[in-house]
Amino acid sequence: MRRVVPVVPLLAVGAFAIGTDTFVVAGVLPEVARTLRVSVASAGWVSTVFALAYAVAAPVLGALTGRLERRTVLAISLVGFTLGNVASALAPDLPLLLLARVLTAVSAALYVPAASASAAALAPPERRGRAMAVVLGGLSAATVVGVPFGTWVAADLQWRVTFWLLAAVGAACAVAVAVGLPALRLPSGPGLAVRLAPVRETRVGLAVLTTALFMTGGYLALTYVGALLAPATDGDGTVLAVLLLVFGVPAVAGTVLGGRATDRWGALPVLLVAVAGLAVVLATLPLTRQALVPAGLAMAVWGVTAMATQPAQQHRLFAIAPGSGPLLLSLNSSATFVGIALGGFLGNRLLRHGGVDALDLLGPVGAALCVLALCTALLGARTGNRPDRPVGAAGEPARPAPDGAATGASPR
């Protein structure tokens, strides 16, 4: 076991790099547009293509690589991640940058679930939850440290340097995994058809649609946050990095508060309050983005409300079908990235047709999508004889848990 001790933090570093790579583009988008001589709307495809590739690849690669040895899977994913970032840093034009982002996204989609599963398998049974939390904590840390740092680097040096740094971290992790991770095989996971089967449950479909809607609403604005907050930052990348830090720290707090509130008051009330709060933030962005202080307050509330949705939504999915919990969370992850992709795409359409003036529409349109998410959440809760009643693996109703109590394993 002594050989395994440093492995879990190592896997978390890889998750940190991937989390930073996933979200940092929003902060460097104006610089990417200027360097490649394209509009901000066109540069938004960099985020959209990454998210869409991740959403499609995650369940497919999970099914195709389930029988492979984990060290091999992790090493391959990190090598692909490294090459994707090298290609991103070297890309001379937008089409080649988009191809590079596809390679990076596919590699990231392979790494995260494999790293979480490996951490759990390598830890003693009584420490498996904490081991998985350490790995996933790398993703959370990316929003607090990685994204603001990457944005600051892009502002003071160049956006390509951010991708070079991520490539260096990926390469170091690949070598460390190949040398330090013991050979590990896990029981074969279910095939792709089995992974997608739970969607036939109406409440599952509505829950996943809810995630896609509020993520689309949020990322309609967040994808273009650099341009959106330009009146408050005067185009200063360092100030933008500070605002992203103001977003990231409350985002982590929002995850914790959302989990505790879910345990106390139940998943649906917390989800409704969080999504409603997110809608208010987005609807008022045309006002708050004009000056630094209101923009900072908006980013802080945005971070809390956006991330408070996650524990509540994951809890709801576990409660719907405890026996299929991991599969449902995989689908929810795909819905998250579908939402990120759609947000970038819809924002692109708005900016392409409306120009700079359309920046004021991004928040309100996103708020409208969050209102639709509230409707689908309520509809899902009312589906069936008992709202949010757990469904067993065979589709039979399970014994309902007391109000506010967790059903099945905790997703946090």
Side-chain angles (χ1 to χ4, degrees):
M1 291 299 295
R2 280 178 295 180
R3 185 186 182 192
V4 177
V5 170
V7 170
V8 172
L10 166 64
L11 296 176
V13 172
F16 171 81
I18 285 172
T20 301
D21 204 2
T22 301
F23 302 113
V24 75
V25 172
V28 303
L29 209 58
E31 287 77 15
V32 172
R34 281 196 294 270
T35 303
L36 300 183
R37 297 181 179 179
V38 298
S39 66
V40 172
S42 296
W45 283 107
V46 177
S47 288
T48 301
V49 166
F50 183 99
L52 187 59
Y54 191 112
V56 173
V60 174
L61 292 179
L64 294 178
T65 63
R67 294 181 175 85
L68 297 181
E69 192 268 319
R70 294 295 92 185
R71 180 174 57 189
T72 301
V73 171
L74 289 167
I76 290 173
S77 65
L78 287 167
V79 168
F81 175 81
T82 300
L83 293 176
N85 277 289
V86 169
S88 297
L90 294 174
D93 54 38
L94 184 60
L96 288 177
L97 178 57
L98 295 179
L99 287 175
R101 301 311 290 158
V102 170
L103 172 59
T104 311
V106 169
S107 302
L110 181 59
Y111 178 86
V112 174
S116 296
S118 298
L122 290 168
E126 68 276 8
R127 298 183 65 87
R128 283 176 182 167
R130 277 171 281 187
M132 294 179 72
V134 169
V135 174
L136 295 176
L139 292 174
S140 298
T143 64
V144 179
V145 179
V147 173
F149 176 75
T151 303
W152 173 75
V153 168
D156 274 24
L157 300 174
Q158 198 191 41
W159 63 268
R160 297 182 189 276
V161 176
T162 300
F163 290 121
W164 280 117
L165 290 174
L166 289 168
V169 175
C173 288
V175 172
V177 163
V179 172
L181 191 70
L184 177 65
R185 287 188 179 274
L186 302 177
S188 297
L192 184 59
V194 176
R195 287 175 179 266
L196 297 178
V199 176
R200 298 170 191 165
E201 228 289 324
T202 303
R203 284 179 296 161
V204 171
L206 287 170
V208 171
L209 178 59
T210 298
T211 298
L213 284 171
F214 68 69
M215 289 301 298
T216 301
Y219 271 85
L220 215 157
L222 195 58
T223 299
Y224 303 95
V225 69
L228 189 67
L229 297 182
T233 64
D234 290 328
D236 189 326
T238 301
V239 177
L240 177 61
V242 172
L243 287 178
L244 289 172
L245 182 64
V246 170
F247 175 93
V249 174
V252 174
T255 304
V256 175
L257 291 173
R260 292 182 177 180
T262 296
D263 287 339
R264 182 168 182 177
W265 290 297
L268 183 62
V270 174
L271 180 67
L272 295 178
V273 170
V275 175
L278 178 60
V280 171
V281 172
L282 294 174
T284 56
L285 275 179
L287 300 176
T288 58
R289 76 184 191 94
Q290 301 298 330
L292 187 59
V293 172
L297 291 174
M299 291 295 282
V301 179
W302 192 348
V304 170
T305 54
M307 294 309 295
T309 62
Q310 300 305 313
Q313 189 69 330
Q314 290 180 359
H315 185 283
R316 292 186 74 218
L317 286 164
F318 263 88
I320 290 171
S324 300
L327 303 183
L328 297 184
L329 293 187
S330 175
L331 292 173
N332 193 58
S333 177
S334 290
T336 295
F337 280 89
V338 166
I340 294 173
L342 285 176
F345 173 75
L346 292 176
N348 171 280
R349 295 295 89 191
L350 285 172
L351 293 177
R352 184 167 292 277
H353 291 291
V356 177
D357 292 338
L359 285 169
D360 276 333
L361 295 177
L362 296 181
V365 174
L369 289 169
C370 288
V371 172
L372 287 178
L374 291 173
C375 295
T376 56
L378 288 169
L379 181 60
R382 286 166 171 75
T383 300
N385 295 329
R386 293 284 298 277
D388 287 335
R389 182 177 55 179
V391 176
E396 294 299 324
R399 181 178 300 174
D403 290 342
T407 304
S410 172
R412 292 178 289 108

